[in-house]
């Protein structure tokens, strides 16, 4: 009897996941040659179902903010408020306060000039006519430099790099207004600032560029400096071109603006401070919006100043470095970071590193934690995505949650570093997000 040969079985290899294909093609492209690309997708049980260089540490830019905001929500709570206080050596008596007024900062990133004007109006209604001393600002709540040690020289004079003090006002920013010159290459002139910045001298080297050149101004400032360098270009034809800068002395700026507010309502001030002693009498207090509103603002605007105030407050409350507070909190929650370097809380420092795997796991734990609903609701959202992005020169990142068409939620982190073609990265990012939204429940990922 002849046994027939076995029928050959054709094994069809499973197709790679669409995101794997996208990233493989991107790495092979000329536009992204040499770029570092990492991705991680984890399911509701914390399993990494798709990982592409997910255990390599990347520069996160503003995606790092989620580490600060998620921690603050769990430690400080969504109802936490920063408090700014006005103190004096004595109460109002016969329309006079003997001694100084002291603005005591509580680290509030949202304190506005209008709040100080409201204080002045309140004091006027309470009968205050004269202060025999001066006004002092107490910014000691946040010790050390206004800036992160690894913030770039090209960042710290500009509005997005405004310093962080115990006493802040107007996000420690001002708007500088330029008029372009009459011809290409001609000097641009300064028309002024929308709020007065006391004690500053402008070294203006700004010139005029092509009409479609946009904002090319870089402001080089520094901590408590009196000389601010203005360099770069404004577009030809701009009559009132606005650029945001960072106040070099936040406490001095707040004192100056409060003095003006008091004078505008007719309250007289003495020539100067009479004592450096800490006054014991509390005149007024101002509370910030609740923390959840500040965090929602951070996720929407990616504001570095707001984030750093929250970051530093974590350290103040625990009496230890803020980054240490964050590491310890998530270790207790089951996430021990590997390869994390956290030089600030906002991601402006290029010395910050985090793995896509850990960034995705953070989203999982934050979403499942005691403030998970509030945290998720504070993120940007569209279609089935909730996310926080990050971008700086050569860095583009996204992290958050994706809900597939079948209703299954996963957490992700997508990080690209060291690229030169921003358009190619934007196109890749969009394709990755589209592929995420196409995931179906039960899809097997290889």
């Amino acid at each position: 009897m002849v046994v027939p040969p076995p029928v050959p079985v054709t094994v069809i290899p499973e197709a790679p996941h669409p995101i794997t294909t996208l990233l493989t093609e991107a790495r092979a492209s000329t536009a992204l040659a040499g770029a570092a690309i990492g991705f991680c997708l984890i399911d509701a049980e914390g399993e990494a179902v798709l990982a592409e260089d997910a255990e390599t540490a990347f520069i996160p830019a503003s995606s790092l903010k989620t580490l600060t905001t998620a921690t603050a929500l769990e430690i400080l709570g969504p109802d936490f408020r920063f408090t700014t206080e006005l103190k004096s050596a004595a109460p109002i008596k016969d329309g006079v306060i003997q001694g100084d007024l002291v603005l005591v900062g509580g680290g509030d990133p949202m304190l506005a000039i209008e709040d100080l004007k409201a204080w002045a109006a309140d004091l006027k209604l309470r009968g205050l006519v004269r202060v025999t001393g001066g006004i002092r600002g107490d910014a000691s709540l946040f010790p050390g430099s206004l800036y992160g040690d690894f913030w770039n020289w090209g960042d710290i004079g500009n509005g997005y790099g405004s310093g962080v003090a115990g006493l802040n006002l107007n996000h420690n920013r001002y708007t500088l207004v330029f008029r372009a010159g009459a011809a290409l290459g001609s000097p641009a002139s300064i028309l002024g600032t929308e709020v007065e910045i006391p004690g500053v001298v402008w070294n203006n080297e700004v010139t005029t560029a092509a009409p479609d050149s946009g904002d090319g101004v870089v402001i080089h400032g520094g901590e408590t400096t009196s000389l601010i360098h203005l360099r770069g270009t404004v577009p030809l034809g701009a009559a009132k071109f606005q650029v945001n800068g960072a106040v070099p002395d936040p406490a001095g700026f707040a004192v100056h603006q409060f003095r003006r507010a008091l004078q505008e309502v007719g309250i007289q001030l003495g020539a100067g401070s009479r004592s450096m002693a800490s006054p014991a009498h509390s005149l007024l207090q101002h509370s910030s919006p609740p923390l959840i509103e500040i965090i929602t603002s951070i996720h929407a605007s990616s504001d570095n100043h707001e984030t750093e105030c929250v970051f530093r407050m974590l350290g103040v409350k625990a009496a230890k470095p803020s980054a240490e507070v964050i590491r310890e909190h998530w270790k207790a929650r089951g996430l021990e970071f590997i390869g994390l370097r956290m030089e600030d809380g906002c991601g402006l420092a290029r010395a910050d590193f985090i793995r896509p795997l850990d960034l995705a796991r953070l989203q999982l734990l934050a979403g499942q934690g005691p403030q998970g609903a509030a945290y998720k609701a504070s993120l940007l959202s569209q279609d089935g995505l909730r996310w926080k992005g990050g971008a700086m020169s050569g860095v583009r990142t996204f992290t958050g949650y994706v809900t597939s068409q079948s209703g299954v939620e996963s957490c992700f982190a997508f990080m690209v570093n060291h690229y030169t073609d921003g358009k190619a990265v934007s196109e890749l990012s969009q394709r990755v997000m589209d592929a995420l939204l196409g995931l179906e429940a039960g899809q097997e990922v290889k």
Side-chain angles (χ1 to χ4, degrees):
M1 178 177 181
V2 179
V3 178
V7 177
V9 177
T10 302
V11 178
I12 302 175
E14 294 187 27
H17 189 277
I19 291 178
T20 298
T21 302
L22 285 173
L23 301 186
T24 300
E25 292 174 352
R27 293 186 184 102
S29 70
T30 302
L32 293 175
I37 304 174
F39 182 85
C40 186
L41 182 71
I42 62 177
D43 62 21
E45 284 71 46
E47 294 296 323
V49 295
L50 181 61
E52 294 274 341
D53 286 342
E55 296 186 51
T56 298
F58 285 73
I59 302 169
S62 286
S63 289
L64 189 72
K65 288 180 169 71
T66 61
L67 192 45
T68 297
T69 55
T71 308
L73 270 178
E74 295 197 4
I75 292 180
L76 301 177
D79 298 323
F80 172 83
R81 295 173 187 259
F82 297 85
T83 301
T84 308
E85 190 171 18
L86 179 64
K87 289 188 172 183
S88 62
I92 301 171
K93 184 176 181 180
D94 299 325
V96 178
I97 290 178
Q98 297 289 339
D100 296 339
L101 297 177
V102 180
L103 287 167
V104 183
D108 185 1
M110 315 303 278
L111 187 69
I113 291 175
E114 289 73 19
D115 299 321
L116 298 187
K117 290 182 176 180
W119 271 5
D122 186 281
L123 292 171
K124 183 69 174 179
L125 287 174
R126 290 163 62 177
L128 181 61
V129 175
R130 184 166 65 92
V131 177
T132 63
I135 306 174
R136 290 185 281 127
D138 181 353
S140 61
L141 181 69
F142 295 158
S145 174
L146 299 175
Y147 310 108
D149 289 343
F150 289 85
W151 288 13
N152 289 341
W153 166 237
D155 294 331
I156 62 177
N158 297 279
Y160 64 86
S162 59
V164 181
L167 176 60
N168 308 293
L169 183 67
N170 229 41
H171 285 70
N172 297 336
R173 294 181 193 133
Y174 61 87
T175 298
L176 190 64
V177 184
F178 289 93
R179 175 183 291 148
L184 293 178
S186 62
S189 56
I190 300 174
L191 299 181
T193 59
E194 100 290 8
V195 290
E196 186 177 359
I197 312 299
V200 163
V201 175
W202 309 103
N203 175 35
N204 182 21
E205 301 175 20
V206 176
T207 59
T208 305
D212 59 352
S213 58
D215 181 2
V217 177
V218 177
I219 302 175
H220 292 122
E223 193 165 0
T224 66
T225 184
S226 59
L227 179 62
I228 295 180
H229 301 272
L230 310 171
R231 301 184 173 105
T233 62
V234 298
L236 181 68
K240 292 183 178 180
F241 193 83
Q242 297 185 344
V243 178
N244 291 327
V247 170
D249 180 6
F253 174 66
V255 166
H256 178 78
Q257 296 301 330
F258 189 45
R259 181 182 293 112
R260 291 190 63 177
L262 292 172
Q263 292 170 342
E264 286 174 0
V265 298
I267 296 175
Q268 300 174 15
L269 295 166
S273 298
R274 297 197 168 186
S275 171
M276 294 306 293
S278 178
H281 185 76
S282 180
L283 282 171
L284 292 163
Q285 290 188 347
H286 174 79
S287 295
S288 74
L291 181 63
I292 186 58
E293 291 187 18
I294 296 174
I295 285 176
T296 300
S297 171
I298 289 170
H299 290 160
S301 65
S302 209
D303 192 283
N304 294 317
H305 175 80
E306 294 172 14
T307 312
E308 286 303 295
C309 286
V310 173
F311 179 70
R312 295 198 187 193
M313 184 57 76
L314 286 169
V316 168
K317 289 293 186 182
K320 60 178 64 174
S322 300
E324 185 178 333
V325 174
I326 290 172
R327 283 181 180 273
E328 291 178 354
H329 177 77
W330 293 106
K331 183 177 181 180
R333 294 271 274 105
L335 172 56
E336 185 164 9
F337 292 102
I338 297 173
L340 172 67
R341 182 176 180 181
M342 198 171 189
E343 295 294 343
D344 59 19
C346 68
L348 186 57
R350 287 182 171 272
D352 293 325
F353 308 135
I354 191 170
R355 303 188 305 171
L357 175 61
D358 292 339
L359 193 54
R361 283 176 173 167
L362 170 73
Q363 308 309 315
L364 176 71
L365 291 177
Q368 294 178 344
Q371 302 299 333
Y375 174 72
K376 288 181 181 180
S378 71
L379 295 166
L380 294 173
S381 63
Q382 184 177 353
D383 300 323
L385 287 171
R386 290 188 180 275
W387 79 94
K388 176 74 189 81
M392 59 173 63
S393 177
V395 177
R396 188 77 56 84
T397 63
F398 299 89
T399 190
Y401 307 86
V402 57
T403 301
S404 69
Q405 295 175 1
S406 56
V408 175
E409 183 179 80
S410 304
C411 301
F412 72 92
F414 172 51
M415 311 180 79
V416 187
N417 284 185
H418 315 308
Y419 61 85
T420 57
D421 191 331
K423 182 180 178 182
V425 172
S426 294
E427 292 174 352
L428 174 62
S429 300
Q430 185 60 59
R431 294 177 70 190
V432 168
M433 297 305 135
D434 289 344
L436 275 173
L437 290 170
L439 292 176
E440 289 294 334
Q443 178 175 353
E444 189 175 359
V445 180
K446 297 295 184 181

